[in-house]
Amino acid sequence: MSNFTPTTPIALQIRKIIFEKFNDVDVNFTNDDVFEILKENGDFDPSWIIDDTESFFNDLCSSGLVRNIGQNFTTMYLKLFDPIEKVHCNACGHDIYLGSSEERICIIPSCNSSI
């Protein structure tokens, strides 16, 4: 087990990647697409495999940001419910990425402030 701690929380990194690369309700993408970009960016545990990120993608589905439109083994095919908006949390200072129908609460676990 690695002691790696990312500079930016993984959930926030994933939301930012979706915002920057897949922010269109008519575009399908996969967790593999996002994982490859996550690896390229380098702020994650290098020992991780796609399975280690499954809970983050399940959380995105539970939050109502994306829907899982199909699955093939470890690949999840995803689609946005609503476009993602970049908002700034004044409480913690992070830019966060929320779907337009998501509750306006900071996704940083140590913050969780209303926005």
Side-chain angles (χ1 to χ4, degrees):
M1 187 75 164
S2 172
N3 291 335
F4 180 85
T5 302
T7 304
T8 303
I10 298 298
L12 183 57
Q13 290 184 57
I14 290 171
R15 283 173 173 265
K16 182 178 182 188
I17 290 166
I18 296 169
F19 172 76
E20 292 176 344
K21 305 290 186 186
F22 309 106
N23 197 12
D24 183 336
V25 296
D26 296 322
V27 172
N28 299 340
F29 58 97
T30 68
N31 60 328
D32 294 325
D33 297 331
V34 176
F35 184 70
E36 288 304 313
I37 297 167
L38 194 63
K39 288 192 321 189
E40 289 170 12
N41 292 346
D43 187 20
F44 88 115
D45 189 329
S47 70
W48 277 14
I49 60 173
I50 190 71
D51 293 345
D52 295 314
T53 62
E54 183 177 7
S55 65
F56 296 105
F57 289 98
N58 287 336
D59 289 347
L60 289 176
C61 292
S62 296
S63 76
L65 180 65
V66 300
R67 64 181 176 255
N68 184 342
I69 57 173
Q71 190 156 346
N72 182 7
F73 299 105
T74 60
T75 301
M76 297 171 71
Y77 296 86
L78 304 163
K79 189 170 185 154
L80 288 173
F81 276 109
D82 299 302
I84 298 176
E85 302 167 357
K86 178 180 175 180
V87 292
H88 187 76
C89 178
N90 292 326
C92 70
H94 281 93
D95 287 331
I96 61 169
Y97 306 88
L98 298 172
S100 56
S101 63
E102 284 187 289
E103 190 174 3
R104 294 306 194 222
I105 302 287
C106 183
I107 64 163
I108 304 297
S110 60
C111 183
N112 289 322
S113 296
S114 293
I115 296 177

